[in-house]
């Protein structure tokens, strides 16, 4: 099946230019999938395979680079308020859902790592709007054993408005520990749109606060159908985070699958055979949850306050999406354990891991 790739620039409510992209099947899409990328990452290059594979399967896929990320404007990888990311995604995603050709389609969120937190906060913002979410190694809880001491947080909070953009948070090279395949690892490292410097002070604090806030609302406010996937050998985000999400969430329809031996980059850093297995699982779950019975018509909503969607005049020409063979994989496992976990980002107490 062939498809089309497009790039569009928009302006958010704060007047910042943001980059968006989309992968569209030529036929009417089965449903809409909205990508939420991880910390420091971007959509057009890093998440291209995800967009292509889902479009090949018949889905319309939409991505946005957060402010300060990828090809969007703003201080590089500076998160002044995590809420800004959520609001920008919410406005853009809803503007797509309100288009006449998409108003009767099912709507799914897809979040990787920090993008998993964005997806969950979008659901929290409007609990009945989304038909489901795919969460890949999500950042939604932080381990007690790696959480900074309250006194440390207090000291950093006192200076965050004085030196908010300082790159003072120690970190190790996450690319080496996140992506198993050495060739893919180097391709990611050569992607200049991916932020590879130390996290900024305020950025790290905003991510910490978001994780801590989410962990206290998993039971009450996560109710949508979701599929959470995690590599058991992930050393960037703890796989027990996904188990905690699965066990605590109030969702009646929830599925978890842990992949033995796989690392953090399930869809982008594993050998091709493993990546194939993961995408077959994701598409199988989407197919199961895509039906006319699940769709809810979206009423027209306002456009962006300071801009209108505009095609990028310097964008790449539409690209042909080549059909790829998909092999069968074991059915996702639904676990029944009810143990309690306090888990999350792995690492030393004062060390920050870029949640990709």
């Amino acid at each position: 099946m062939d498809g089309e790739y497009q790039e569009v620039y928009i302006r958010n409510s704060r007047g910042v230019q943001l980059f968006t992209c989309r992968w569209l099947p030529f036929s009417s899409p089965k449903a809409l999938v909205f990508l939420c990328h991880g910390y420091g990452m971007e959509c057009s290059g890093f998440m291209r395979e995800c967009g292509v594979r889902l479009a090949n399967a018949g889905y319309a896929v939409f991505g946005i680079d957060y402010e300060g990320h990828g090809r969007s404007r703003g201080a590089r990888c500076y998160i002044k308020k995590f809420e800004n990311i959520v609001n920008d995604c919410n406005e853009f995603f809803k503007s797509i859902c309100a288009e006449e050709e998409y108003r009767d389609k099912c709507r799914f969120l897809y979040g990787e790592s920090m993008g998993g937190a964005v997806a969950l906060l979008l659901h929290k913002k409007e609990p009945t709007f989304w038909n489901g979410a795919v969460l890949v190694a999500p950042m939604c809880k932080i381990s007690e054993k790696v959480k900074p001491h309250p006194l440390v947080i207090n000291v950093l909070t006192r200076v965050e408005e004085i030196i908010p953009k300082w790159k003072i948070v120690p970190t190790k090279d996450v690319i080496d520990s996140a992506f198993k395949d050495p060739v893919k690892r180097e391709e990611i490292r050569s992607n200049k749109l991916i932020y590879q410097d130390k996290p900024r002070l305020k950025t790290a604090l905003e991510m910490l606060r978001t994780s801590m806030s989410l962990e206290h609302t998993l039971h009450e406010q996560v109710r949508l159908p979701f599929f959470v996937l995690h590599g058991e050998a992930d050393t960037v985000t703890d796989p027990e985070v996904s188990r905690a999400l699965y066990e605590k969430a109030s969702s009646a329809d929830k599925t978890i699958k842990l992949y033995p031996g796989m690392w953090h980059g399930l869809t982008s850093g594993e050998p091709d055979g493993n990546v194939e297995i993961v995408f077959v699982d994701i598409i199988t779950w989407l197919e199961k949850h895509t039906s006319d019975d699940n769709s809810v018509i979206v009423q027209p909503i306002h456009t962006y306050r300071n801009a209108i969607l505009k095609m990028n005049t310097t964008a790449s020409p539409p690209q042909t999406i080549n059909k790829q063979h998909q092999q069968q994989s074991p059915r996702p496992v639904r676990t029944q354990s009810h143990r309690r976990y306090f888990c999350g980002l792995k690492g030393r107490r004062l060390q920050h891991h870029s949640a990709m």
Side-chain angles (χ1 to χ4, degrees):
M1 184 192 85
D2 292 335
E4 186 177 3
Y5 172 74
Q6 299 174 358
E7 297 176 350
V8 179
Y9 278 103
I10 61 174
R11 288 190 185 277
N12 63 19
S13 59
R14 300 177 302 285
V16 179
Q17 182 175 274
L18 303 179
F19 171 84
T20 75
C21 55
R22 57 191 71 185
W23 293 264
L24 306 173
F26 285 140
S27 59
S28 179
K30 299 175 182 178
L32 314 179
V33 179
F34 296 92
L35 305 182
C36 303
H37 66 72
Y39 165 79
M41 310 310 283
E42 51 86 34
C43 288
S44 62
F46 179 74
M47 300 196 77
R48 179 183 179 277
E49 184 167 9
C50 182
V52 169
R53 284 179 178 266
L54 295 183
N56 281 337
Y59 295 88
V61 186
F62 303 86
I64 181 171
D65 289 356
Y66 312 142
E67 180 177 342
H69 287 69
R71 293 161 69 176
S72 291
R73 296 295 180 87
R76 290 295 83 189
C77 222
Y78 173 56
I79 302 176
K80 184 177 182 179
K81 291 182 180 179
F82 205 89
E83 182 182 8
N84 288 344
I85 292 178
V86 177
N87 288 339
D88 289 344
C89 289
N90 185 60
E91 273 202 58
F92 172 59
F93 294 169
K94 279 192 171 182
S95 72
I96 298 297
C97 295
E99 293 180 13
E100 186 174 356
E101 61 185 312
Y102 298 139
R103 287 176 58 198
D104 61 346
K105 301 294 183 180
C106 288
R107 305 172 296 277
F108 296 97
L109 295 167
Y110 177 103
E112 292 192 357
S113 201
M114 188 188 83
V118 175
L120 290 174
L121 289 172
L122 285 167
H123 163 57
K124 177 181 176 181
K125 200 173 187 69
E126 197 159 345
T128 61
F129 188 80
W130 303 100
N131 293 98
V134 175
L135 305 170
V136 182
M139 182 197 84
C140 58
K141 199 174 186 294
I142 189 165
S143 174
E144 293 296 326
K145 64 185 179 183
V146 301
K147 189 180 298 182
H149 191 280
L151 290 177
V152 175
I153 298 175
N154 182 264
V155 171
L156 295 178
T157 300
R158 289 175 180 272
V159 299
E160 69 174 306
E161 298 302 333
I162 302 173
I163 51 172
K165 297 181 181 179
W166 276 31
K167 304 172 185 178
I168 63 174
V169 182
T171 184
K172 65 177 183 179
D173 188 339
V174 179
I175 291 178
D176 278 344
S177 55
F179 306 102
K180 181 190 293 184
D181 187 285
V183 174
K184 294 179 181 179
R185 185 188 307 150
E186 291 312 307
E187 288 177 353
I188 291 168
R189 196 183 301 281
S190 65
N191 184 342
K192 301 305 180 183
L193 295 176
I194 294 176
Y195 183 81
Q196 300 177 45
D197 207 342
K198 292 180 180 179
R200 301 177 190 272
L201 174 58
K202 194 169 185 65
T203 297
L205 286 173
E206 281 295 298
M207 292 173 65
L208 175 64
R209 292 180 186 124
T210 299
S211 297
M212 294 173 67
S213 175
L214 274 173
E215 100 178 53
H216 294 303
T217 59
L218 289 180
H219 175 68
E220 296 178 357
Q221 299 182 352
V222 179
R223 300 177 182 176
L224 84 171
F226 69 82
F227 178 25
V228 59
L229 310 82
H230 217 124
E232 286 190 343
D234 188 345
T235 60
V236 177
T237 57
D238 195 326
E240 296 300 340
V241 140
S242 290
R243 194 183 294 276
L245 168 63
Y246 174 79
E247 294 177 352
K248 290 177 176 291
S250 296
S251 305
D253 180 350
K254 52 185 178 179
T255 304
I256 184 172
K257 183 165 184 180
L258 303 179
Y259 297 85
M262 293 197 196
W263 292 15
H264 185 68
L266 288 177
T267 63
S268 53
E270 289 289 318
D272 290 345
N274 288 350
V275 171
E276 190 75 28
I277 290 172
V278 171
F279 274 114
V280 168
D281 288 341
I282 290 171
I283 292 170
T284 298
W285 187 89
L286 287 171
E287 295 281 354
K288 179 180 177 181
H289 290 81
T290 301
S291 71
D292 292 337
D293 293 337
N294 289 336
S295 63
V296 179
I297 294 179
V298 184
Q299 298 302 318
I301 60 175
H302 63 83
T303 57
Y304 281 87
R305 287 184 283 274
N306 293 326
I308 300 174
L309 291 179
K310 180 181 179 182
M311 289 303 300
N312 174 22
T313 56
T314 61
S316 304
Q319 300 175 6
T320 298
I321 300 174
N322 298 317
K323 187 173 183 180
Q324 300 180 10
H325 175 69
Q326 295 179 336
Q327 62 188 26
Q328 296 297 318
S329 67
R331 186 177 180 178
V333 177
R334 295 175 183 268
T335 66
Q336 299 298 326
S337 174
H338 294 282
R339 292 172 291 174
R340 185 173 183 179
Y341 293 88
F342 294 91
C343 44
L345 301 179
K346 284 188 174 182
R348 295 188 180 277
R349 182 171 292 272
L350 296 180
Q351 206 172 45
H352 174 81
H353 285 258
S354 303
M356 289 183 154

